[in-house]
Amino acid sequence: YRRALDLGEVTAGNALGDMYRLGRGVGVDINRAAYWYKQGADKGDAESSTNLGNFYLNGQGVVADDQRAAALYRHAADLNNASGINNLGYMYENGRGVPVDLNMAMSLYKRAADLGDRTAVSNLSRVQERMRYQPPRR
């Protein structure tokens, strides 16, 4: 995978990150996983961006940074990655690294659901209910 990444195979960074995150063939090392996800994200891989965004959201292997997580999810969403789109919706729903915007969250959840993300389907339903019963602003 390292050689493949050096040769320009952008998905290899994500594969290496997964190996270190899950301890497949190597010891579990979250810091190394973050390093490899960053290599893949820097080369334009959507899955690497999503996984690195998760690390920034949760402070795993990196210092927690909601704005950086949102930017990484946005990059993945721009590449039409369903998980990245769903996660960006979460950021807008909860005001993490971006302002709260339930309409944007719903739009992103719908887009991710249309791409087959099952979590996005339940997220979309939750936000629709939240908006339906949200008291009017004064």
Side-chain angles (χ1 to χ4, degrees):
Y1 286 129
R2 288 182 185 131
R3 176 96 170 109
L5 190 63
D6 289 342
L7 292 172
E9 176 53 51
V10 299
T11 62
N14 190 67
L16 283 162
D18 284 350
M19 289 178 72
Y20 281 96
R21 179 175 56 89
L22 301 170
R24 292 191 177 151
V26 295
V28 171
D29 186 335
I30 297 302
N31 294 329
R32 297 278 299 173
Y35 171 82
W36 289 114
Y37 287 144
K38 183 174 184 334
Q39 300 310 302
D42 287 349
K43 291 189 181 291
D45 180 51
E47 199 66 33
S48 295
S49 292
T50 298
N51 286 329
L52 186 58
N54 294 340
F55 276 28
Y56 275 102
L57 182 65
N58 298 308
Q60 293 177 284
V62 294
V63 175
D65 183 338
D66 286 355
Q67 289 179 336
R68 181 77 175 125
L72 287 158
Y73 294 147
R74 186 170 291 108
H75 175 256
D78 289 345
L79 296 171
N80 222 30
N81 176 274
S83 294
I85 296 166
N86 177 67
N87 292 355
L88 185 57
Y90 169 85
M91 302 302 274
Y92 276 102
E93 179 184 356
N94 295 288
R96 303 231 10 216
V98 294
V100 171
D101 184 338
L102 296 182
N103 289 318
M104 177 63 82
M106 277 197 348
S107 174
L108 290 163
Y109 288 149
K110 181 174 182 346
R111 186 172 151 211
D114 289 346
L115 290 170
D117 190 294
R118 292 177 296 188
T119 304
V121 175
S122 67
N123 290 342
L124 178 60
S125 296
R126 183 186 60 250
V127 172
Q128 287 172 330
E129 286 297 306
R130 182 175 169 190
M131 290 181 74
R132 183 175 295 128
Y133 295 107
Q134 188 171 9
R137 294 185 183 190
R138 296 179 191 209

